């Protein structure tokens, strides 16, 4: 984290879990366990039908509401889709684009991730753009190439003033839902690299202000160490965000002071 230059963001991703009826109980347990003076932006990305139930408790808890997906299209004849305007009208402030599960199961490609990103930004919603390599790509030494391609594709035609509002989440596919968290060194290395790609595209000032998250088996036990790295500005948390106590603990860890310094602080 580097709170001097950018926001720390802790975003939960409930995936296809929970129901609207579960929201109230979850939120009261989360609020009871969360420190009053939280110094990060806490967000919950929930399935679309749960959003209305989250509006009131999220406001009380100063928690941002996020969606897990958005249509790449605007309004029109796209049966079953939900567009950025609809989300923004409900008060949604964040939306995930390009999660690896959507890339894998729903054929979401880089061009679609780019269109989603542009649509979200046009409606004032912060995109949380997910990038990450497979185990095979890592083994073959293709991680950085793959990450650079995904970041550049997602941000294609995103202007400077909008790029500063984007969040990138580094989620190695081999670490998601597996319990195999990336080491702090692996996660920092790629997050620092993502910032360098953003620097090439937009210059040092914008790259320095972008929040870059880590995701992939982040939990209450390993969050503090990951968040102590200078280029890891928060987390995208799946499994552990379903447990209000664990999620609150990670939010509390995001309030800690930066303990490690590297040259990237001087960006
Ligand atoms: P996980 O999921 O924390 O359960 O690994 C992270 C994600 O998919 O965003």
């Amino acid at each position: 984290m580097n709170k001097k230059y950018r926001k720390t963001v802790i975003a939960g991703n409930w995936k296809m879990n929970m129901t609207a009826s579960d929201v109230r109980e979850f939120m009261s347990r989360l609020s009871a366990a969360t420190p009053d003076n939280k110094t990060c932006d806490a967000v919950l990305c929930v399935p679309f039908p749960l959003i209305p139930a989250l509006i009131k408790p999220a406001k009380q808890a100063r928690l941002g509401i996020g969606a897990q997906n958005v249509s790449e299209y605007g309004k029109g004849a796209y049966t079953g889709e939900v567009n950025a305007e609809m989300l923004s009208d409900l008060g949604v402030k964040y939306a995930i684009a390009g999660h690896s599960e959507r890339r894998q199961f729903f054929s979401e490609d880089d061009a679609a991730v780019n269109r989603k990103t542009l649509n979200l930004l046009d409606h004032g919603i912060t995109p949380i753009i997910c990038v990450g390599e497979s185990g095979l790509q890592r083994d073959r030494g293709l991680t950085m190439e793959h990450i650079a391609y995904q970041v550049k594709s997602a941000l294609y035609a995103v202007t400077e003033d909008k790029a500063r509002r984007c969040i990138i989440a580094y989620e190695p596919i081999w670490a998601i839902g597996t319990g195999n968290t990336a080491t702090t060194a692996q996660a920092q290395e790629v997050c620092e690299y993502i910032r360098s790609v953003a620097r090439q595209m937009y210059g040092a000032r914008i790259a320095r202000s972008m929040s870059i998250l880590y995701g992939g088996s982040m939990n209450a036990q390993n969050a503090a160490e990951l968040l102590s790295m200078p280029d890891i500005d928060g987390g995208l948390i799946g499994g552990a965000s379903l447990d209000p106590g664990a999620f609150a603990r990670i939010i509390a860890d995001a309030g800690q002071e930066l303990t490690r310094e590297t040259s990237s602080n001087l960006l």
Side-chain angles (χ1 to χ4, degrees):
M1 297 182 288
N2 187 332
K3 291 179 186 283
K4 184 162 164 219
Y5 292 121
R6 46 196 177 252
K7 284 183 179 166
T8 303
V9 180
I10 299 297
N13 174 11
W14 276 3
K15 307 194 179 182
M16 199 166 71
N17 294 294
M18 309 282 240
T19 63
S21 324
D22 297 326
V23 167
R24 218 217 278 208
E25 154 109 27
F26 179 94
M27 285 304 296
S28 69
R29 288 178 56 200
L30 180 67
S31 298
T34 305
D36 288 338
N37 59 344
K38 68 172 185 294
T39 62
C40 66
D41 288 3
V43 180
L44 262 185
C45 299
V46 299
F48 294 136
L50 279 58
I51 292 173
L54 193 58
I55 293 172
K56 202 168 152 206
K59 195 167 175 198
Q60 281 163 354
R62 288 181 294 116
L63 180 96
I65 301 177
Q68 297 173 12
N69 186 29
V70 64
S71 177
E72 64 192 275
Y73 302 109
K75 68 166 154 254
Y78 301 103
T79 303
E81 290 288 276
V82 173
N83 68 30
E85 186 184 359
M86 296 167 183
L87 294 175
S88 150
D89 184 58
L90 276 177
V92 168
K93 295 283 185 271
Y94 301 81
I96 299 173
H99 191 282
S100 63
E101 286 152 15
R102 296 210 55 85
R103 294 179 192 258
Q104 183 188 348
F105 297 120
F106 304 99
S107 311
E108 191 162 315
D109 63 13
D110 290 300
V113 176
N114 176 238
R115 284 192 289 272
K116 291 178 182 203
T117 300
L118 292 167
N119 281 343
L120 290 168
L121 289 166
D122 278 349
H123 288 90
I125 299 174
T126 299
I128 302 177
I129 300 163
C130 298
V131 299
E133 80 288 4
S134 66
L136 190 71
Q137 286 168 323
R138 176 161 281 270
D139 290 347
R140 296 189 175 172
L142 298 170
T143 298
M144 298 311 193
E145 225 170 290
H146 179 71
I147 297 287
Y149 184 85
Q150 286 187 318
V151 171
K152 288 180 190 170
S153 300
L155 295 176
Y156 178 75
V158 173
T159 54
E160 283 186 11
D161 59 316
K162 288 185 172 158
R164 66 172 74 241
R165 287 169 29 214
C166 291
I167 294 175
I168 313 263
Y170 168 52
E171 297 211 305
I173 296 169
W174 48 269
I176 295 176
T178 58
N180 296 326
T181 319
T183 65
T184 47
Q186 285 171 328
Q188 162 61 24
E189 185 189 23
V190 180
C191 290
E192 187 175 357
Y193 179 70
I194 290 171
R195 200 177 308 286
S196 78
V197 173
R199 191 162 58 236
Q200 283 164 30
M201 296 178 78
Y202 298 106
R205 241 161 42 112
I206 290 175
R208 191 173 64 188
S209 67
M210 281 172 76
S211 297
I212 300 176
L213 317 184
Y214 168 79
S217 300
M218 195 188 236
N219 57 40
Q221 284 70 48
N222 58 30
E225 204 188 337
L226 286 158
L227 293 170
S228 73
M229 305 308 283
D231 287 288
I232 301 179
D233 305 310
L236 183 55
I237 296 128
S241 74
L242 296 167
D243 172 348
F247 193 52
R249 176 70 210 277
I250 299 171
I251 291 170
D253 285 341
Q256 73 190 339
E257 290 303 311
L258 181 69
T259 50
R260 287 177 209 203
E261 305 271 333
T262 76
S263 58
S264 50
N265 283 347
L266 306 173
L267 263 178

